[in-house]
Amino acid sequence: MSHNHSHGHGGHGHGHDHSHGDVFHTHAPIGKMKLAFFLSFFILIVEVVGGFISHSLALLSDAGHVLTDIAAIGLSWYAMKQSLKAPSEGYTFGYHRSGILAAFINALSLILIAVVILWEAVRRFQAPEEVGSTWMFISAGVGLVMNLYLGLGLSKEDNINVRSAVLHMMGDAAASAGVIVGGLIIRFTGWYVVDPILSVLIAVLIAFGAVGIVRQTIHILMEATPKDVPLNKVAEAISAVPGIHGVHDLHVWSITSGRNALSCHVTLDGATTIEQSQALLREIEHRLLHLNIGHCTIQMEDDRHPHGNSILCDGAEPEHDHHHHESHDSHDH
């Protein structure tokens, strides 16, 4: 008789996922994100037109920053809509990671935009162009007012997607304010070099934000251990359950931002009954919920089951398992 026991969602973990889902699946932020998406498009058009009329690179850079807003809002909106789709046989974890993949591609394109702005700024330092400050005021003013309206209107939402988009909007409001200040300096001093200086600052702002997104998305796509989940504490929490002798082959990863999953093997006494093992599983799930892990798959083994001493997966394990199964078959009656 095999003493292995696999487990997916227990009753406890399942309930936790639904409580998370209330925040994740709520329809109110989706409507607000849709409004923010189209209003940001309007800001983009105003700033691009204003930038070409006034010859202001700072204003065009700010338009580039608005493009980062549109991407962030669009991705949040898309991710929130995708999370409503039920898992399928082809995508058993659902579609949560589609937003992460899109964020990665988006961030790489933002770094390219920042490089283009810096390239144009260097050219303008060498040969400053005359800039019309009136259009800088009008276009940047529209951007400032709308971003503050959207950012403050969404700032009370708990959703992690919405929060990241709000940060983009507030950053863009600050960039628009900077362009307005630059327009004032140009109006009163005629010092046109202020324009490329501002555009460099905005390009650096875009690049820093984009690099941060790239790092976060790579972390998730590489199945890395979530930064808010200390692996040693997870192992300790499982091992501390009375009746659990040890834990190995431990993996913790994120399906998407804020949705963590775990799989591991635990060892226990070979005399443990199925009923007793269910009580142990429920206790492990309960402890893992407090470490922000809502989906767990736990394989139970008795102490005689061959395994390494490390809590991490042993590289030589497939061969090890092969020998184990052969010996197991030879003892089968």
Side-chain angles (χ1 to χ4, degrees):
M1 172 186 163
S2 170
H3 292 281
N4 291 359
H5 180 81
S6 291
H7 180 73
H9 271 300
H12 206 110
H14 209 65
H16 181 258
D17 259 347
H18 281 301
S19 66
H20 249 300
D22 292 341
V23 176
F24 215 94
H25 294 171
T26 180
H27 291 272
I30 294 181
K32 288 182 180 177
M33 295 305 272
K34 187 177 178 181
L35 174 68
F37 183 80
F38 288 111
L39 283 181
S40 294
F41 243 116
F42 178 71
I43 299 169
L44 177 70
I45 293 164
V46 169
E47 292 200 347
V48 167
V49 171
F52 278 111
I53 293 173
S54 65
H55 297 288
S56 169
L57 181 61
L59 197 51
L60 288 172
S61 304
D62 195 21
H65 198 266
V66 172
L67 200 58
T68 73
D69 289 354
I70 289 171
I73 294 163
L75 284 169
S76 299
W77 179 24
Y78 176 69
M80 288 158 79
K81 282 178 75 76
Q82 288 294 305
S83 70
L84 295 173
K85 290 172 73 173
S88 65
E89 284 187 23
Y91 295 89
T92 56
F93 272 121
Y95 297 80
H96 298 293
R97 196 166 278 190
S98 52
I100 301 295
L101 190 60
F104 176 69
I105 296 165
N106 161 49
L108 292 180
S109 66
L110 296 182
I111 292 170
L112 188 64
I113 288 172
V115 169
V116 170
I117 293 169
L118 287 170
W119 183 271
E120 178 65 12
V122 168
R123 195 185 68 77
R124 289 205 181 194
F125 278 124
Q126 293 165 342
E129 288 188 23
E130 190 174 326
V131 178
S133 57
T134 306
W135 271 99
M136 282 179 77
F137 291 141
I138 295 169
S139 302
V142 169
L144 176 64
V145 170
M146 287 205 169
N147 274 299
L148 283 176
Y149 167 72
L150 290 172
L152 294 173
L154 287 165
S155 62
K156 292 182 179 66
E157 297 290 344
D158 286 334
N159 190 292
I160 192 165
N161 279 312
V162 179
R163 285 208 305 270
S164 63
V166 166
L167 286 175
H168 271 267
M169 292 172 202
M170 289 309 190
D172 193 48
S176 296
V179 172
I180 291 169
V181 171
L184 284 169
I185 294 170
I186 289 170
R187 169 63 62 90
F188 292 109
T189 66
W191 194 39
Y192 295 126
V193 79
V194 165
D195 186 64
I197 289 171
L198 273 172
S199 62
V200 167
L201 292 174
I202 295 168
V204 169
L205 191 70
I206 293 170
F208 263 103
V211 168
I213 294 168
V214 167
R215 288 177 65 182
Q216 282 179 320
T217 53
I218 286 176
H219 195 82
I220 290 172
L221 293 171
M222 285 294 291
E223 305 280 349
T225 305
K227 288 180 180 174
D228 62 337
V229 179
L231 203 64
N232 59 332
K233 283 196 176 175
V234 171
E236 285 169 14
I238 296 170
S239 299
V241 174
I244 300 295
H245 293 192
V247 57
H248 58 280
D249 281 7
L250 177 62
H251 303 273
V252 183
W253 70 98
S254 298
I255 299 163
T256 187
S257 182
R259 283 181 169 256
N260 302 326
L262 170 147
S263 74
C264 71
H265 295 196
V266 295
T267 55
L268 34 83
D269 191 312
T272 307
T273 64
I274 295 289
E275 190 178 349
Q276 288 167 336
S277 75
Q278 295 307 299
L280 292 174
L281 279 173
R282 282 193 291 274
E283 181 58 30
I284 292 171
E285 286 171 353
H286 179 71
R287 295 186 184 207
L288 291 176
L289 284 182
H290 294 291
L291 292 168
N292 198 25
I293 299 168
H295 177 101
C296 7
T297 306
I298 298 161
Q299 178 170 311
M300 292 191 157
E301 304 163 348
D302 69 16
D303 282 335
R304 292 170 296 173
H305 191 101
H307 57 79
N309 294 323
S310 171
I311 62 166
L312 301 177
C313 189
D314 182 3
E317 197 184 13
E319 191 183 345
H320 190 108
D321 263 355
H322 181 66
H323 289 310
H324 162 65
H325 288 307
E326 279 182 354
S327 64
H328 189 88
D329 290 342
S330 67
H331 284 95
D332 234 355
H333 297 300

